């Protein structure tokens, strides 16, 4: 396969201008990053959905900055030409600007991410601007913002009435103004997502936001049917059922260990005859 040039923020912007859809998938470890890159994914998001699908929490709230650094490093090792964005987790960008910059810097320096993602609109524009001024590319995230799930009160479609739709458009513009290079639009009507996408010059990446965004993102485990503990959602399409494949393989393994079918002679190593003779006087 021909080596691809590394994906950059300017390439992503050009893809929007040229009308080329941007493919984004989450990943949390080395093997999934290798596979995503081999598949030609443009951007890997090391999402804090890590909390749900890898760590077994029931929300993203318990995910720590240390968790994100650890998983981002593994992903970056597996994806050499893919643009890697890492989520700043819950409450790591709501304190002082100084603390926000330190936290974002950890994802860039220790995690070796290419960019960070933050959830929220106009209210976090100052934090976004501080990061972009410091040379840290920021992806915004509006609509359903999972870090605020307890405040929102569940996975509900956002921007359904005119007031909240207008607020989401303003939030998107505030993020663009603050220097964000892209913005995730999660769980909103396709008409609102289309309108926001038209109004912005930066790419929009949709999840549950219809077909008119500049790109699409799905959670790895949801898209591949890999034992996700996130409640199934109508906007997710399952492209494989790797959970079933893994389960069948494990059941077979347990069965073969129990009935001594595994390991077979082909998986075992034989002792040299003279060593056997030295030890036991004959080959066992
Ligand atoms: O954490 C995550 O995986 C995300 C995507 C759902 C956009 O934020």
């Amino acid at each position: 396969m021909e080596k691809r040039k590394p994906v950059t923020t300017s390439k992503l912007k050009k893809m929007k201008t040229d009308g080329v859809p941007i493919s984004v998938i989450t990943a949390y470890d080395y093997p999934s990053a290798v596979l995503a890159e081999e598949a030609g994914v443009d951007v890997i998001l090391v999402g804090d959905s890590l909390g749900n699908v890898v760590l077994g929490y029931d929300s993203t709230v318990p995910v720590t900055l240390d968790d994100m650094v650890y998983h981002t490093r593994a992903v970056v090792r597996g994806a050499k030409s893919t643009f890697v964005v890492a989520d700043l987790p819950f409450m790591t960008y709501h304190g002082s600007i100084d603390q926000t910059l330190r936290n974002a810097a950890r994802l860039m320096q220790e995690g070796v991410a290419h960019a960070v993602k933050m959830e929220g609109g106009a209210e976090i524009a100052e934090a976004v601007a501080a990061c972009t001024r410091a040379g840290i590319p920021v992806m915004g995230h509006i609509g359903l913002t999972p870090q605020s799930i307890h405040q929102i009160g569940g996975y509900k479609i956002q921007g359904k009435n005119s007031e909240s739709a207008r607020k989401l458009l303003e939030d998107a513009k505030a993020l663009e103004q603050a220097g964000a290079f892209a913005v995730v639009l999660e769980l909103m009507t396709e008409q609102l997502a289309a309108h926001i996408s038209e109004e912005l010059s930066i790419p929009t990446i949709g999840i549950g936001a219809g077909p008119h965004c500049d790109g699409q993102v799905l959670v790895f485990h949801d898209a591949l049917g890999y034992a996700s503990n996130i409640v199934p959602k109508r906007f997710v399409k399952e492209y494989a059922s790797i959970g079933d494949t893994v389960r069948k393989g494990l059941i077979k393994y347990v069965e073969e260990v129990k009935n001594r079918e595994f390991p077979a002679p082909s998986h075992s190593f034989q002792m040299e005859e003279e060593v056997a003779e030295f030890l036991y006087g004959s080959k066992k």
Side-chain angles (χ1 to χ4, degrees):
M1 211 198 304
E2 206 183 304
K3 230 175 147 200
R4 156 176 91 166
K5 274 203 200 140
V7 177
T8 59
T9 52
S10 17
K11 176 166 180 200
L12 297 172
K13 189 147 190 203
K14 186 165 182 322
M15 287 172 81
K16 174 173 177 121
T17 315
D18 295 347
V20 178
I22 299 167
S23 57
V24 186
I25 190 86
T26 69
Y28 317 95
D29 59 17
Y30 176 84
S32 46
V34 168
L35 293 170
E37 173 147 315
E38 281 174 6
V41 159
D42 299 303
V43 177
I44 290 178
L45 169 65
V46 188
D48 58 358
S49 49
L50 162 76
N52 301 88
V53 297
V54 175
L55 303 179
Y57 298 133
D58 59 9
S59 81
T60 60
V61 173
V63 175
T64 66
L65 193 56
D66 285 342
D67 292 332
M68 293 307 301
V69 166
Y70 179 85
H71 285 272
T72 304
R73 280 182 86 90
V75 165
V76 170
R77 283 194 287 267
K80 301 287 178 227
S81 70
T82 311
F83 193 75
V84 178
V85 182
D87 260 333
L88 270 167
F90 182 69
M91 288 303 290
T92 55
Y93 47 102
H94 299 88
S96 68
I97 291 294
D98 187 51
Q99 195 53 55
T100 297
L101 287 171
R102 279 178 213 280
N103 291 338
R106 280 199 64 199
L107 284 183
M108 301 292 287
Q109 290 191 297
E110 296 172 46
V112 214
H114 304 128
V116 302
K117 178 164 80 58
M118 299 184 195
E119 295 181 5
E123 72 283 4
I124 61 152
E126 211 185 311
V128 173
C131 287
T132 58
R133 271 197 305 270
I136 300 171
V138 177
M139 180 181 264
H141 182 161
I142 59 170
L144 190 287
T145 46
Q147 289 172 13
S148 316
I149 199 65
H150 298 309
Q151 193 178 44
I152 297 169
Y155 283 84
K156 302 172 187 161
I157 297 171
Q158 302 296 297
K160 272 171 84 175
N161 60 41
S162 30
E163 188 46 38
S164 57
R166 189 185 54 80
K167 162 100 173 61
L168 283 175
L169 176 61
E170 277 170 11
D171 283 339
K173 287 184 172 170
L175 293 169
E176 175 170 50
Q177 188 71 31
F181 72 90
V183 55
V184 169
L185 307 180
E186 179 163 356
L187 209 52
M188 61 184 69
T189 62
E190 66 170 80
Q191 291 80 5
L192 177 59
H195 183 53
I196 294 175
S197 303
E198 264 168 38
E199 290 286 313
L200 297 189
S201 66
I202 56 172
T204 58
I205 308 296
I207 174 161
H212 308 296
C213 297
D214 302 302
Q216 296 292 330
V217 57
L218 281 178
V219 168
F220 189 93
H221 293 57
D222 292 346
L224 299 172
Y226 189 17
S228 169
N229 68 350
I230 297 184
V231 191
K233 300 181 188 101
R234 188 157 77 82
F235 60 79
V236 171
K237 182 168 174 186
E238 232 179 71
Y239 289 87
S241 301
I242 59 178
D244 288 345
T245 308
V246 171
R247 189 179 305 106
K248 276 187 203 140
L250 289 172
I251 289 171
K252 186 82 183 138
Y253 168 69
V254 171
E255 191 186 296
E256 290 199 0
V257 168
K258 298 285 181 195
N259 65 24
R260 298 188 188 282
E261 246 179 89
F262 177 82
S266 61
H267 306 117
S268 308
F269 306 95
Q270 305 308 314
M271 186 182 266
E272 293 288 332
E273 221 165 286
E274 64 204 61
V275 180
E277 259 167 38
F278 175 78
L279 283 177
Y280 319 115
S282 69
K283 192 161 187 215
K284 281 226 161 177

